[in-house]
Structures are given as C-alpha cells and as structure tokens.
Amino acid sequence: MKYFDIHVTYDNAKDGAGYSIFVKANTSNEDKVLQYAIDNHLFEEDGDEKYVDYIEEINEKDYCNVIGG
C-alpha cells in the first residue's frame, strides 16, 4: 500500500496557500492516484485538479497522523 499527499494551490502562485488531499492506494502511479481523487470527488471544488502543484508519496505514519488513525 502506498500513501500520497495531493496538494492543490488556491492561487497557483506556489506560495503554499491551498489544501492537501491524502490518499491510500495500491499503485505508485501518480496519474492513477490523481484520477482516483477525481473519480471519488475528493477535491473541494470541481476543477481543482487543474491546480495540483504536487503529488508526493508519504509514509504510513504521516498518513495516519493527518487522517487521525
């Protein structure tokens, strides 16, 4: 199992303002992880997937810390 932080920037200025989506997946393919988030309506607003500035693999401990597990 792999864990990912998908970060969306609000203003596309790369100043850190935005939000993260945390995803657990059976793939290491970032395109598939992004598609999973789209298909499952994990973004705050429709179209936010256009403003993803990075997808980063994280470890299980960090994933559990942010989701409260």
Side-chain angles (χ1 to χ4, degrees):
M1 192 64 62
K2 304 278 186 173
Y3 304 89
F4 296 90
D5 171 4
I6 301 173
H7 189 265
V8 178
T9 182
Y10 283 126
D11 57 10
N12 213 19
K14 298 199 185 273
D15 64 358
Y19 66 94
S20 286
I21 300 167
F22 297 93
V23 176
K24 178 168 61 171
N26 282 323
T27 183
S28 58
N29 181 302
E30 292 182 359
D31 291 333
K32 289 182 180 180
V33 171
L34 180 59
Q35 191 60 51
Y36 175 85
I38 294 167
D39 292 346
N40 289 279
H41 310 285
L42 300 180
F43 291 95
E44 290 181 1
E45 301 285 335
D46 288 340
D48 276 0
E49 68 275 5
K50 297 174 189 154
Y51 302 105
V52 170
D53 57 341
Y54 65 80
I55 300 174
E56 178 178 66
E57 188 173 343
I58 60 174
N59 63 43
E60 182 178 8
K61 181 181 176 186
D62 289 343
Y63 175 82
C64 290
N65 285 340
V66 296
I67 65 161

